[in-house]
Amino acid sequence: MVSTPGLGAQRPAARTPQQPVVRPRQSSCATQDDSLALWNGVPPYVLLIEDDEGDAVLVEELVEDSGIEVRLGRASSLADALRLLRAEAPECVLLDLHLPDAQGLDGLKKVLAVSAEAAVVVLTGLSEERAGLTAVAAGAQDYLVKGRLEADVFMRAIRYAIQRKRTELAAAALQAGRLRAEENARLERGLLPTPLLLDDAADAVTVCARYHPGRAQTLLGGDFYDVVQTPDGATHAVVGDVSGHGPSEAALGVCLRVAWRSFVMAGARGAELLGLLERILLAERSGPEIFATLVSLTRPAGTRTVSVQRAGHPGFLVRSAAGVELRTVPGGPALGILPGWEAGWPVTEVALEAGGAVMLFTDGLIEGRIGPGSDRLDEAGLLEIARKHADLPAEPFVDTLIQAAQGLAADWGGLADDVAVLHLEWNSST
């Protein structure tokens, strides 16, 4: 430490690192209450990192003279300071730039690395004001010149530094939130597209789609859906689910959804379609443990049947004038579970009545806990709810099923996984 006139002239024996102690003001209770109001009623923890005993005593006296209650801790070396910082994060660090084990900005960088949320005020000598400015540019909130300290100025600097740091952290959190929102919007556009329908199709289809993120999800998961009508009038639809959550899984879901649409538009059908999708998944996934389930269907124009393929996915609901049925057609493994699956994924024809509808969904809708232990809604529970509301039009029908599943799981942790639902209703008289 560089000595300054009147400071550090005598150097008593160094003291061991101190845990914070409260330095209360010796004044009226009313004024103490006013000072605590500055800190939301809790005295701030300020850690002084200073090897000079004379300067340390000066800081203690300034705190006492300020009349503001502070928990003041002390470390005489950077190593001791880092240990204290890891034990308890302070609101403010008073840092001498000349320590036995750190000189200049090296100490500042290490303090910021360990306690990024603490406001740092650098203590400099009379001849080192330029060093203080450099420290502020490197991440400190302020600097104080030791030879020019007065109690009110000293405490005001600490208070302002803490407030500036809080403002910086709030601004950073807001920016991070905006970036997450923008990322979610981009992913949402990729995972949950606008159906690609023909304007003059004889087989007009009404699409009702819903997506609900699982609890506490800040990013979309890998659930996806899509609907396409090809020039021959056929309607093609898919609902899929990439295992896991996070940006990598969501991005893979977007990739598979776009690939499915492209392959369908290019004429791929049946086992060829799912085989191509698995090749895409194997090439794009972030690890061998990642897989995807899906159900894909095609309804040729002018027919009363849908051709369905299922890869490790739950069944789907079929609606008709007679009520609601659950159909679980033969299928194959989830994509990526058994690469190169030779048996393929069979295509099953499912009959629909005139004006009938189907509802595809991901397993997030049926895997919520509805009681103690491992009790889940499952497909049977969903079917029971669907039959109670079979007379509802498409949108209230879908919304009611989702709300019922959420309500049953509410007392047991809620729906942990994302939910994607796709309801298709053909309006032709065929």
Side-chain angles (χ1 to χ4, degrees), residues 255-269:
C255 181
L256 292 176
R257 201 278 304 166
V258 173
W260 177 88
R261 176 176 284 201
S262 301
F263 292 147
V264 167
M265 296 297 291
R269 302 288 185 269

Side-chain angles (χ1 to χ4, degrees), residues 123-335:
L123 303 178
T124 70
L126 288 171
S127 62
E128 294 185 303
E129 192 162 356
R130 183 180 297 274
L133 292 171
T134 302
V136 170
Q141 271 60 56
D142 205 348
Y143 72 94
L144 293 172
V145 179
K146 294 178 182 179
R148 301 174 183 168
L149 295 180
E150 296 181 4
D152 57 341
V153 174
F154 173 74
M155 192 54 65
R156 187 184 303 119
I158 292 176
R159 184 167 66 247
Y160 287 178
I162 292 173
Q163 293 301 327
R164 280 195 294 273
K165 186 65 176 182
R166 290 174 179 174
T167 300
E168 290 176 9
L169 293 173
L174 180 61
Q175 178 63 12
R178 288 173 177 168
L179 292 175
R180 284 195 298 270
E182 291 174 0
E183 182 177 13
N184 280 353
R186 288 192 295 270
L187 291 172
E188 184 175 356
R189 286 194 295 272
L191 290 168
L192 318 175
T194 301
L196 185 59
L197 305 178
L198 300 176
D199 294 331
D200 56 351
D203 243 5
V205 60
T206 301
V207 178
C208 173
R210 295 290 187 269
Y211 174 86
H212 288 263
R215 66 171 186 263
Q217 296 297 331
T218 58
L219 285 172
L220 294 172
D223 290 20
F224 61 93
Y225 63 75
D226 203 354
V227 182
V228 168
Q229 282 188 317
T230 45
D232 60 1
T235 302
H236 310 266
V238 66
V239 167
D241 183 4
V242 177
S243 61
H245 290 94
S248 296
E249 289 75 12
L252 181 56
V254 173
C255 181
L256 292 176
R257 201 278 304 166
V258 173
W260 177 88
R261 176 176 284 201
S262 301
F263 292 147
V264 167
M265 296 297 291
R269 302 288 185 269
E272 179 190 16
L273 175 59
L274 268 61
L276 290 171
L277 288 175
E278 184 173 64
R279 291 181 63 184
I280 294 293
L281 181 141
L282 296 176
E284 299 293 336
R285 66 183 178 180
S286 58
E289 74 284 359
I290 303 298
F291 61 91
T293 70
L294 63 82
V295 58
S296 178
L297 64 80
T298 295
R299 184 182 191 268
T303 68
R304 292 188 182 180
T305 60
V306 290
S307 303
V308 184
Q309 287 179 282
R310 191 172 62 89
H313 204 79
F316 58 98
L317 299 180
V318 177
R319 303 184 67 190
S320 67
V324 183
E325 297 295 332
L326 175 71
R327 299 299 301 266
T328 305
V329 300
L335 305 183

Side-chain angles (χ1 to χ4, degrees), residues 12-230:
R15 294 183 291 180
T16 57
Q18 297 177 355
Q19 294 295 333
V21 295
V22 176
R23 302 286 180 179
R25 179 184 181 182
Q26 304 298 321
S27 62
S28 68
C29 294
T31 308
Q32 279 192 351
D33 291 341
D34 291 342
S35 68
L36 285 178
L38 297 170
W39 317 107
N40 296 322
V42 179
Y45 170 28
V46 177
L47 178 62
L48 171 63
I49 309 175
E50 172 64 74
D51 66 316
D52 187 282
E53 289 299 315
D55 289 351
V57 170
L58 171 66
V59 170
E60 293 175 0
E61 292 176 349
L62 289 169
V63 171
E64 292 180 357
D65 293 343
S66 71
I68 296 178
E69 197 169 349
V70 169
R71 297 171 56 224
L72 184 64
R74 163 82 191 288
S76 58
S77 69
L78 181 63
D80 291 336
L82 296 180
R83 177 175 59 81
L84 293 176
L85 288 171
R86 293 186 181 98
E88 181 182 0
E91 279 78 21
C92 183
V93 173
L94 301 175
L95 174 64
D96 181 17
L97 289 181
H98 298 282
L99 297 169
D101 51 353
Q103 295 291 314
L105 297 182
D106 179 57
L108 173 62
K109 293 177 181 178
K110 291 181 179 178
V111 166
L112 291 175
V114 172
S115 188
E117 295 187 357
V120 178
V121 177
V122 167
L123 303 178
T124 70
L126 288 171
S127 62
E128 294 185 303
E129 192 162 356
R130 183 180 297 274
L133 292 171
T134 302
V136 170
Q141 271 60 56
D142 205 348
Y143 72 94
L144 293 172
V145 179
K146 294 178 182 179
R148 301 174 183 168
L149 295 180
E150 296 181 4
D152 57 341
V153 174
F154 173 74
M155 192 54 65
R156 187 184 303 119
I158 292 176
R159 184 167 66 247
Y160 287 178
I162 292 173
Q163 293 301 327
R164 280 195 294 273
K165 186 65 176 182
R166 290 174 179 174
T167 300
E168 290 176 9
L169 293 173
L174 180 61
Q175 178 63 12
R178 288 173 177 168
L179 292 175
R180 284 195 298 270
E182 291 174 0
E183 182 177 13
N184 280 353
R186 288 192 295 270
L187 291 172
E188 184 175 356
R189 286 194 295 272
L191 290 168
L192 318 175
T194 301
L196 185 59
L197 305 178
L198 300 176
D199 294 331
D200 56 351
D203 243 5
V205 60
T206 301
V207 178
C208 173
R210 295 290 187 269
Y211 174 86
H212 288 263
R215 66 171 186 263
Q217 296 297 331
T218 58
L219 285 172
L220 294 172
D223 290 20
F224 61 93
Y225 63 75
D226 203 354
V227 182
V228 168
Q229 282 188 317
T230 45

